[in-house]
Amino acid sequence: MSLEHEANNWLRHRFGRNVKFDEPMSKHTYFRIGGPVDAFVVPQSQKDLIDLIIWAGQMQQPYIVIGDGTNLLVRDAGIRGLVIMLTKCLNKISRLNRGDDTTIISAMAGARLQALCKFAIESGLEGMNFAIGIPGTVGGGIVMNAGSAAGSVEGVLDSIEVLLSGGERLTLERSQLVFKYRNLSLKKVAPNGDLEKTIVLEGHFQLRPSDARYLKKEAREMLNKRRTAQPSNYASAGCFFKNPASGKTAGELIELAGLKGKRVGGAEVSAKHANFIINTDNASAADVTALMEIVQETVSQTFNIELTPEVKIVGTQA
Ligand SMILES: Cc1cc2nc3c(=O)[nH]c(=O)nc-3n(C[C@H](O)[C@H](O)[C@H](O)COP(=O)(O)OP(=O)(O)OC[C@H]3O[C@@H](n4cnc5c(N)ncnc54)[C@H](O)[C@@H]3O)c2cc1C
């Protein structure tokens, strides 16, 4: 089912070539998987974005905001409503002067996390290197509390600006944010705890002065380590499952359960890193979820540990 004629017309008139109808989400996810969304909208300015959110509220159109789709599995039946991509309207990174000793970098949600890391290094500011090599946007990184063994967004985020579903802008200080493992909860502010409707507009990151040459060297080493450990030649959404709170990592458990190389259709448990499900040959979302369930059941039966996906699975159930 696609959008009503009237909704289609409004979107076409307001967004021109920046809206696409029945757009395959496989074009917008790192997994290269996903059925069509009714309307894929790329606002070119904050005003565009606010107008769209207010209109969607009035028309009761569901929407999902995405960054680079690096952590998304979109189901084969696609997404009803709108997908809004922020990379064209919110991509500035700048240094803020607050008039005290703290050094804050402001990064808009649609800017790349890697651009933020580079900006920090070139400014001789320490704190962002944990994110070296993590693909995606600043907004996605904040919402996912992205991180590595070296740290996570939680360690450096000072405050965020959000857009509520009614179009109001709000600043949330660090004390108002509830960080969890690979998740930021906005339950305190989002109506009905519905984060999908609350849009992160920008983040303010508190960093420390350091030596740019040292930071650059550290970043190079981290990137090399990542390239050696991860199956970067294949489409994926990064680590598929969250690591259990203690003990072995999800990857170690999957490997010990003998699942490396296990396949369903075009989806495969990577032989290089067992917590990566890779798309080796036009996998469908159904292939990936079937493989996910096999992994969950096998690990549960072998170790009595329940693995939960870190990847966000969205879209209509077929
Ligand atoms: C090869 C590879 C390696 C990876 N390695 C790591 C790693 O080491 N550590 C790690 O933590 N992750 C890793 N990831 C996962 C992913 O890169 C991160 O989760 C990233 O931060 C997601 O950013 P994104 O812009 O792509 O978000 P998306 O995938 O587009 O979205 C992720 C979620 O955030 C929501 N969202 C996005 N932007 C906004 C916004 N502005 N406001 C509100 N909601 C929003 C979306 O609706 C969705 O629910 C990896 C992924 C890949 C493909």
Side-chain angles (χ1 to χ4, degrees), residues 43 49-50 52-54 63-66 84 86 89-90 109-110 139 143 160-165 167-170 172 186 190-191 194-202:
L49 175 66
I50 293 170
L52 180 61
I53 295 309
I54 293 173
Y63 61 82
I64 300 179
V65 170
I66 67 163
I84 305 170
L86 299 185
C89 66
L90 294 168
V143 169
I160 59 174
E161 301 270 327
V162 296
L163 184 67
L164 300 181
S165 53
E168 314 88 341
R169 244 185 118 109
L170 201 65
L172 299 174
L186 294 182
D194 189 355
L195 176 58
E196 275 169 18
K197 291 222 173 323
T198 302
I199 300 175
V200 174
L201 294 175
E202 65 185 67

Side-chain angles (χ1 to χ4, degrees), residues 136-265:
T137 61
V138 169
I142 290 172
V143 169
M144 295 305 302
N145 189 15
S148 63
S152 68
V153 165
E154 175 178 6
V156 281
L157 195 63
D158 182 63
S159 61
I160 59 174
E161 301 270 327
V162 296
L163 184 67
L164 300 181
S165 53
E168 314 88 341
R169 244 185 118 109
L170 201 65
T171 302
L172 299 174
E173 299 301 332
R174 185 181 169 77
S175 56
Q176 293 169 280
L177 305 175
V178 182
F179 293 98
K180 296 184 187 154
Y181 174 69
R182 298 294 169 263
N183 179 249
L184 166 66
S185 170
L186 294 182
K187 281 208 169 100
K188 281 189 191 169
V189 287
N192 311 319
D194 189 355
L195 176 58
E196 275 169 18
K197 291 222 173 323
T198 302
I199 300 175
V200 174
L201 294 175
E202 65 185 67
H204 299 150
F205 297 82
Q206 183 167 0
L207 305 177
R208 305 170 294 279
S210 180
D211 175 34
R213 271 175 313 176
Y214 165 75
L215 293 173
K216 213 174 267 179
K217 181 169 171 285
E218 185 186 57
R220 243 191 330 262
E221 286 165 7
M222 291 177 79
L223 207 52
N224 285 339
K225 222 165 141 188
R226 182 177 276 271
R227 284 191 183 127
T228 318
Q230 296 184 356
S232 43
N233 294 341
Y234 289 99
S236 77
C239 284
F240 199 93
F241 297 100
K242 293 181 180 175
N243 285 324
S246 60
K248 295 197 162 37
T249 64
E252 286 166 344
L253 294 169
I254 298 166
E255 183 171 352
L256 285 169
L259 289 163
K260 268 190 166 179
K262 178 86 188 159
R263 287 183 72 95
V264 174

Side-chain angles (χ1 to χ4, degrees), residues 6 27 40 71 138 149 155 172 181 242 244-245 257 286 301 305:
E6 193 190 337
K27 286 186 178 175
F40 185 84
N71 204 46
V138 169
L172 299 174
Y181 174 69
K242 293 181 180 175
Q301 280 165 13
I305 293 173

